[in-house]
Amino acid sequence: PPSSTTWQRITKTGHETMGASMSQYSTCLAKNLCAGSSKKLIAGWWYSILAASLFTSLLAGWTASTRSRAEGFVSFWSALMVVALCVGGTMIMRKFHNSIAVGFFIGCVVAMSQLFLLLCLIYIGFASERRDNENNVWGEMLNSFFCLVQSLLLASFAAMLGAHRSQILDQNAGGTDGKGDDALNETLNGDVGSVGELSE
């Protein structure tokens, strides 16, 4: 059987291949959607997550007031978690660019992506229960759809951020005169193009 060194080499090669593929994919998306600017792509992806999170939070308020306690708690808790992610993620993208902060942020995004995938299935279960009781299920199906959308947005954002994390850290490590940090601090301050400091 292959030795541990061989398995380590295979695993490392697989990780490098996945990272290169994701980098090529994000570059292709930038060319097709953002005139070749990966800066605008990263910015637009995060703003899409913020917009979806806002809608999810509003929908959670409606769900908590019109559905059962269990369903209301699920909606409220997911909204609370995604708002915390948006606030913390925006702070990290603007101010904290060390390896611990970026790695923690990517981990949180991946975890939230999995949470919303599970919530999508949970809402489908709620819909099935309400259908058996001959109640309308459009609210549950709407929640399920937006949970799936949020899950896909978060997963793809985490993949792109992970593919470019070395450039992020290298750039900030080289910014000894403070200019690099100043550029990155413009990320969400109104100039969409400056978000790309995270990816290039």
Side-chain angles (χ1 to χ4, degrees):
S3 63
S4 60
T5 304
T6 303
W7 280 117
Q8 290 176 359
R9 189 181 299 113
I10 293 173
T11 303
K12 181 179 180 181
T13 302
H15 288 167
E16 291 175 351
T17 302
M18 290 177 62
S21 299
M22 192 61 220
S23 181
Q24 293 175 356
Y25 178 67
S26 60
T27 301
C28 180
L29 280 179
K31 289 181 179 179
N32 293 328
L33 301 177
C34 306
S37 174
S38 58
K39 301 178 179 182
K40 293 181 179 180
L41 178 65
I42 295 294
W45 221 271
W46 183 245
Y47 288 137
S48 298
I49 291 173
L50 295 179
S53 300
L54 175 61
F55 187 85
T56 300
S57 300
L58 295 175
L59 193 57
W62 174 85
T63 302
S65 62
T66 60
R67 293 298 190 260
S68 65
R69 291 183 179 180
E71 192 171 347
F73 175 78
V74 168
S75 299
F76 174 78
W77 186 254
S78 62
L80 183 63
M81 290 295 98
V82 77
V83 167
L85 176 70
C86 290
V87 173
T90 301
M91 290 177 61
I92 289 174
M93 291 174 67
R94 291 184 59 183
K95 188 174 182 181
F96 304 102
H97 312 121
N98 56 71
S99 59
I100 295 177
V102 173
F104 179 76
F105 179 42
I106 293 174
C108 288
V109 172
V110 171
M112 287 298 296
S113 173
Q114 298 302 308
L115 172 64
F116 275 96
L117 180 60
L118 291 176
L119 286 174
C120 173
L121 301 177
I122 289 173
Y123 279 119
I124 291 176
F126 281 133
S128 177
E129 182 180 345
R130 288 181 60 84
R131 187 180 294 111
D132 291 340
N133 295 328
E134 299 183 353
N135 294 320
N136 69 78
V137 298
W138 67 269
E140 284 70 23
M141 298 309 296
L142 188 62
N143 270 310
S144 177
F145 172 76
F146 275 98
C147 284
L148 179 60
V149 170
Q150 187 78 295
S151 176
L152 293 175
L153 285 173
L154 290 168
S156 54
F157 181 80
M160 286 190 292
L161 203 58
H164 295 288
R165 69 184 184 281
S166 59
Q167 290 93 332
I168 299 170
L169 300 177
D170 289 343
Q171 182 184 47
N172 284 280
T176 55
D177 58 356
K179 293 181 179 179
D181 287 342
D182 289 342
L184 282 165
N185 284 338
E186 296 176 1
T187 299
L188 297 177
N189 279 342
D191 183 3
V192 174
S194 58
V195 178
E197 298 296 334
L198 294 171
S199 59
E200 294 184 350

